[in-house]
Amino acid sequence: MTIATEIPIQQQLLSFGDFIVRYGDSNRYELIDGEVFDLEPTGYHEEVSAFTTTKICAQIDALCLNWFVLQRGLLRPSNLGMTAFRPDVMVVDRNELTKELLWNDQSILTLGSSIKFVMEVVSSNWQNDYARKVEDYAILGIPEYWIADYAGLGGTRHIGKPKQPTLSICTLVKGEYEIQQIRGNQPITSLTFPNLKLTAEQVLKAGR
């Protein structure tokens, strides 16, 4: 995730429709349970997202998949009426877009079947990435979810003690995520992109 203000920018809860009317033209905002948060990405956060996107795009091309990477599009789960997530990286299956009723007019997805992979880059609101989104993305049936905690901000129950930069690879198994935490030079094992040759450090340091 990107950096979010600690307090929602409005006090009145908004429906998804009201959120789109007020904030739909900007990719800076996310709606969670009716509360609107202003997202302010740091430069390094964007580097991590961009590095991962570049590597994944290469894999999509090599495998001749009819997929593409969507950055900062809205994900509005159909079972959560007052929530619209804005993942940092989403891999979308073009073959499924005919089922997406909002896609032709706006960059909004509602079905987990459209999404093959999601990544969130952790910042100050890490709780959503490690708890809320792990649950919701699993319910949607998204096969793979990465949590890139380049600054080691997550709670100790999520990344251990002492806290350190960690890449969590969440793989969907029987409706729930199995989570593998890797660090440093440990290689990434991705079921979605089995030929991806990267280490945790390469992602968390954005290839530097």
Side-chain angles (χ1 to χ4, degrees):
M1 277 299 300
T2 48
I3 294 176
T5 54
E6 293 297 328
I7 301 175
I9 62 176
Q10 97 296 325
Q11 298 302 313
Q12 179 184 0
L13 298 182
L14 293 185
S15 67
F16 175 74
D18 289 337
F19 170 77
I20 291 298
V21 169
R22 296 190 191 185
Y23 304 105
D25 293 334
S26 173
N27 66 4
R28 284 187 52 161
Y29 302 98
E30 182 174 62
L31 182 72
I32 299 179
D33 295 332
E35 296 181 341
V36 179
F37 293 90
D38 185 356
L39 307 177
E40 298 178 0
T42 65
Y44 195 78
H45 171 283
E46 296 298 90
E47 286 188 60
V48 174
S49 295
F51 175 81
T52 305
T53 296
T54 299
K55 297 301 182 181
I56 286 177
C57 284
Q59 292 295 306
I60 292 172
D61 288 343
L63 295 170
C64 298
L65 298 170
N66 195 24
W67 301 353
F68 66 95
V69 175
L70 178 63
Q71 290 182 297
R72 301 268 186 105
L74 274 177
L75 170 55
R76 183 218 174 177
S78 57
N79 62 325
L80 298 173
M82 299 176 70
T83 294
F85 298 124
R86 200 177 290 279
D88 293 306
V89 180
M90 281 193 290
V91 173
V92 179
D93 185 346
R94 282 192 177 92
N95 299 321
E96 295 293 319
L97 291 179
T98 56
K99 303 173 186 176
E100 292 284 359
L101 301 181
L102 302 176
W103 179 255
N104 288 339
D105 297 319
Q106 295 173 293
S107 180
I108 300 173
L109 299 173
T110 62
L111 304 174
S113 59
S114 299
I115 303 165
K116 298 300 184 181
F117 171 96
V118 168
M119 184 176 83
E120 299 284 8
V121 182
V122 175
S123 206
S124 60
N125 53 342
W126 55 265
Q127 294 92 339
N128 286 331
D129 300 324
Y130 282 107
R132 175 63 185 271
K133 293 184 180 181
V134 166
E135 180 178 345
D136 286 343
Y137 291 167
I139 291 173
L140 283 167
I142 297 173
E144 190 165 344
Y145 169 36
W146 290 10
I147 307 171
D149 194 345
Y150 68 86
L153 296 176
T156 55
R157 68 190 179 99
H158 298 294
I159 62 174
K161 187 176 182 179
K163 296 200 293 185
Q164 57 185 308
T166 301
L167 179 64
S168 298
I169 307 294
C170 307
T171 304
L172 195 65
V173 177
K174 296 182 179 179
E176 295 184 356
Y177 282 129
E178 290 186 356
I179 303 175
Q180 178 191 17
Q181 296 176 338
I182 59 174
R183 304 173 181 87
N185 291 323
Q186 290 181 281
I188 292 171
T189 300
S190 169
L191 292 183
T192 307
F193 302 105
N195 297 323
L196 189 66
K197 304 298 182 184
L198 287 174
T199 65
E201 185 174 49
Q202 285 176 298
V203 171
L204 297 171
K205 291 190 174 181
R208 293 186 180 186

